[in-house]
């Protein structure tokens, strides 16, 4: 996923938060896709035994550039399923709330680094993300709206410490949230592996008719809400086929994302040709004013000036929107002082009754609580996020 382009498109609070959330809990708030009702089936024909290091290497080396398939996701986070219609339905600005409960499904098509289409299938509607070379489209049939970008030449563009911008970007789109693939979420998790995680290989599994290694990540911390993460890795090519997150003390997966069908090979090229239907309202977005990557010596992204780099030093609350990071690994807590247009917690709560309904009052503020992630909105306008108990968020919010 191209984080660079996503960062300079829009400043909604949810996208700012996602930049700093622990990678292990990102699936709980950004994933879209449909319910996998059970764990992957056990494999019939066992694969050659591999160590955890060998399976990690298999994932890192996979080069599946062309495929088509159906991806399904389910979130069982302890929240009520949100209504699709009526006064309590999610608004266009917070349709990402829908991803916290209920099932979603999508069709995925890919042919090389610059051609991809994701069709998110909603009840009686469809959302499309399409990249064809330099052309990017986001389309929602629900309100007949589309966003279009013509990308600059990016083939040789990269930021220090980041991969070239080759895969399709999926910024927060009006009435849409991007749907990751199992490979994208796996990349996020594995990029953050550290000694706080125990890595093992469980019995082989079957996903979408393919035999896969079962890579299991288990937090060593007893404080995190995350019990374990299981990743099915295609035994032939190393492609991540599914990802499941277990909450501590919960019998069924709190989050699951998996291919239910998969075909390797180039899809029909016509799938990447997109023209908005008649009557669609189209918004044209301009590319960045200067080339991405033109920041020598800095790991600061466009639209992120004043934010810390990848060294992890936040410097506290010196600027609005600048994060305070406490803890490490699975116990990481990210705090924001909010205000203004970028991070207006009070305004967000006032505009979105769905958030108010899902929250509970605690000393010092309100909490949006799920089985994998807790978010504390303090009375003085700060937000604290972490895959930890509420008490740890309250402790992080207490002035010292």
């Amino acid at each position: 996923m191209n984080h660079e382009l996503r960062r300079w498109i829009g400043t909604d609070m949810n996208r700012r938060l996602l930049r700093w959330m622990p990678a292990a809990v990102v699936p709980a708030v950004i994933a879209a896709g449909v319910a996998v009702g059970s764990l992957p089936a056990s494999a019939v024909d066992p694969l050659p035994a591999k160590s955890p290091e060998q399976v990690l290497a298999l994932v890192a080396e996979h080069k599946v550039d062309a495929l088509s398939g159906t991806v399904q996701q389910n979130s069982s986070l302890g929240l009520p399923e949100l209504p699709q219609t009526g006064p309590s339905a999610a608004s266009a600005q917070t349709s990402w709330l829908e991803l916290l409960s209920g099932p979603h499904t999508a069709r995925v098509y890919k042919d090389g680094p610059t051609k991809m289409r994701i069709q998110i299938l909603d009840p009686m509607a469809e959302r499309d993300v399409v990249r064809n070379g330099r052309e990017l489209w986001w389309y929602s049939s629900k309100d007949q709206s589309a966003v279009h970008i013509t990308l600059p030449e990016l083939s040789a563009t990269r930021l220090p410490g980041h991969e070239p911008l080759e895969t399709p970007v999926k910024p927060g789109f009006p009435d849409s949230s991007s749907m990751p693939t199992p490979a994208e979420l796996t990349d996020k998790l594995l990029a953050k592996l550290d000694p706080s995680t125990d890595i093992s290989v469980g019995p082989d599994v079957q996903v979408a008719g393919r035999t896969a290694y079962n890579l299991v990540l288990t937090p060593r911390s007893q404080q995190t809400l995350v019990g374990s993460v299981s990743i099915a890795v295609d035994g032939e090519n190393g492609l991540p086929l599914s990802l499941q997150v277990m909450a501590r003390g919960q019998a069924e997966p709190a989050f699951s994302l998996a291919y239910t069908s998969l075909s390797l090979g180039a899809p029909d090229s016509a799938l990447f040709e997109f023209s908005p239907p008649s009557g669609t309202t189209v918004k044209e977005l301009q590319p960045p004013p200067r080339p991405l990557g033109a920041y020598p010596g800095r790991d600061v992204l466009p639209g992120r000036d004043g934010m810390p780099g990848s060294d992890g030093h936040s410097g506290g609350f010196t600027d609005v929107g600048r994060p305070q990071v406490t803890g490490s690994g699975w116990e990481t807590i990210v705090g924001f002082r909010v205000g203004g247009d970028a991070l207006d917690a009070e305004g967000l709560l006032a505009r979105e009754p769905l958030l108010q309904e899902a929250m509970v009052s605690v000393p010092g503020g309100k909490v949006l609580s799920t089985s994998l992630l807790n978010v504390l909105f303090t009375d003085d306008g700060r937000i604290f996020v972490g895959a930890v108990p509420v008490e740890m968020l309250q402790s992080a919010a207490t002035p010292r």
Side-chain angles (χ1 to χ4, degrees):
M1 179 182 294
N2 291 348
H3 307 294
E4 292 79 10
L5 281 174
R6 190 166 105 179
R7 283 177 174 126
W8 62 262
I9 301 176
T11 57
D12 289 304
M13 185 184 72
N14 55 303
R15 292 199 293 275
R16 296 290 294 273
L17 286 174
L18 289 175
R19 294 177 189 165
W20 293 98
M21 283 183 183
V25 300
V26 168
V29 289
I30 70 171
V34 157
V36 178
S38 60
L39 293 171
S42 299
V44 177
D45 298 321
L47 294 166
K50 287 186 181 294
S51 67
E53 292 77 14
Q54 289 174 318
V55 177
L56 288 171
L58 185 63
V59 176
E61 295 167 359
H62 90 80
K63 297 179 180 179
V64 178
D65 291 327
L67 60 82
S68 57
T70 300
V71 178
Q72 296 185 322
Q73 178 263 323
N74 188 52
S75 296
S76 180
L77 302 173
L79 293 174
E81 185 168 344
L82 303 181
Q84 297 293 327
T85 60
S88 295
S91 70
Q93 288 73 29
T94 58
S95 61
W96 54 274
L97 283 171
E98 298 173 5
L99 309 181
L100 298 180
S101 65
H104 302 269
T105 189
R107 298 190 182 103
V108 178
Y109 307 94
K110 181 181 180 182
D111 187 7
T114 61
K115 289 186 177 184
M116 191 166 186
R117 181 168 188 153
I118 299 177
Q119 296 175 305
I120 303 174
L121 307 179
D122 297 323
M124 307 300 291
E126 179 178 313
R127 291 174 280 177
D128 288 74
V129 183
V130 185
R131 176 173 180 177
N132 191 0
R134 294 173 58 195
E135 302 302 313
L136 279 172
W137 286 94
W138 295 267
Y139 170 71
S140 171
S141 67
K142 184 176 181 180
D143 58 3
Q144 290 188 294
S145 64
V147 174
H148 175 248
I149 300 176
T150 299
L151 294 174
E153 296 289 347
L154 295 176
S155 59
T157 300
R158 65 183 299 164
L159 290 170
H162 293 269
E163 292 303 310
L165 305 184
E166 293 181 340
T167 55
V169 295
K170 302 188 288 295
F173 170 62
D175 200 26
S176 172
S177 291
S178 60
M179 176 170 179
T181 64
E184 289 176 321
L185 290 188
T186 296
D187 287 345
K188 283 181 174 292
L189 289 168
L190 298 188
K192 298 295 184 180
L193 283 184
D194 61 23
S196 68
T197 304
D198 179 72
I199 307 172
S200 61
V201 178
D204 300 344
V205 294
Q206 283 273 341
V207 179
R210 302 186 65 84
T211 306
Y213 291 102
N214 185 18
L215 187 68
V216 182
L217 313 178
T218 305
R220 291 193 168 98
S221 168
Q222 297 300 308
Q223 297 299 316
T224 181
L225 302 178
V226 180
S228 64
V229 180
S230 298
I231 303 168
V233 179
D234 193 303
E236 181 179 340
N237 55 45
L239 177 71
L241 301 175
S242 73
L243 183 146
Q244 295 178 329
V245 185
M246 302 295 294
R248 192 174 298 276
Q250 189 168 305
E252 294 296 322
F255 171 84
S256 53
L257 178 72
Y259 285 102
T260 57
S261 66
L262 179 64
S263 176
L264 302 181
D268 186 341
S269 60
L271 288 166
F272 307 109
E273 299 173 3
F274 180 82
S275 297
S278 176
T280 300
T281 301
V282 178
K283 179 179 180 180
E284 292 284 344
L285 292 184
Q286 298 301 313
R290 54 179 171 172
L292 294 176
Y295 300 85
R298 300 174 62 198
D299 188 16
V300 178
L301 303 175
R304 211 181 125 187
D305 291 331
M307 302 289 277
S310 60
D311 58 0
H313 298 296
S314 66
F317 286 117
T318 57
D319 298 308
V320 171
R322 186 184 181 100
Q324 169 194 341
V325 181
T326 59
S328 61
W330 300 87
E331 298 179 18
T332 299
I333 297 173
V334 181
F336 292 84
R337 171 184 292 164
V338 296
D341 294 332
L343 292 169
D344 182 3
E346 183 177 354
L348 178 67
L349 293 176
R351 292 191 304 269
E352 299 304 332
L354 283 173
L355 276 178
Q356 297 183 41
E357 293 174 13
M359 287 189 176
V360 296
S361 296
V362 297
K366 293 184 177 181
V367 170
L368 176 64
S369 184
T370 77
S371 58
L372 290 178
L373 181 77
N374 283 318
V375 184
L376 170 65
F377 293 77
T378 67
D379 291 334
D380 60 1
R382 293 175 295 157
I383 299 176
F384 291 82
V385 185
V388 296
V390 174
E391 294 76 16
M392 292 182 66
L393 298 183
Q394 292 174 305
S395 177
T398 302
R400 290 174 174 80

